[in-house]
């Protein structure tokens, strides 16, 4: 196996271990403290921000337009409409704007 293959395999194993470890630790508790639950509920927004912020800083016009449309859809719709609408605008913007 190539070096890249080993790196991908190691990253997959480490990702699985971190996710399984978190599940195993939390499954030991019968009740989760409300502060811990609030922190866990904030994780998706933090992860989403880390994905969107670099794209927003280095965005082409098509990507900036897709981010704006996705943000507007996020105010009214669910996550599916955000991903679908943002993706469609990004594809159309890259096709039309280059």
């Amino acid at each position: 196996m190539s070096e890249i293959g080993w790196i991908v395999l190691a990253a997959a194993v480490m990702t699985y271990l971190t996710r399984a470890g978190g599940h195993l630790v939390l499954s030991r508790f019968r009740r989760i403290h409300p502060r811990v639950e609030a922190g866990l509920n904030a994780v998706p927004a933090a992860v989403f921000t880390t994905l969107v912020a670099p794209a927003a800083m280095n965005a082409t016009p098509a990507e900036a337009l897709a981010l704006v449309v996705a943000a507007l859809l996020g105010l009214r719709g669910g996550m599916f409409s955000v991903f679908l609408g943002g993706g469609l605008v990004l594809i159309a913007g890259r096709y039309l704007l280059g």
Side-chain angles (χ1 to χ4, degrees):
M1 184 181 295
S2 70
E3 184 177 331
I4 298 296
W6 285 110
I7 291 172
V8 169
L9 183 62
V13 169
M14 293 304 293
T15 300
Y16 176 76
L17 289 176
T18 56
R19 291 182 181 202
H23 177 72
L24 289 174
V25 168
L26 288 178
S27 67
R28 297 181 58 107
F29 299 101
R30 293 182 190 263
R31 295 181 56 200
I32 298 175
H33 193 276
R35 289 185 181 179
V36 173
E37 188 173 352
L40 291 174
N41 287 335
V43 168
V47 170
F48 190 69
T49 302
T50 62
L51 295 174
V52 170
M57 296 300 292
N58 301 319
T60 63
E63 293 166 345
L65 181 62
L67 287 172
V68 169
V69 169
L72 292 175
L73 288 173
L75 295 175
R76 291 287 186 179
M79 292 300 287
F80 183 73
S81 64
V82 170
F83 287 114
L84 184 64
L88 290 176
V89 170
L90 180 62
I91 291 169
R94 284 184 177 171
Y95 180 75
L96 296 173
L97 301 174

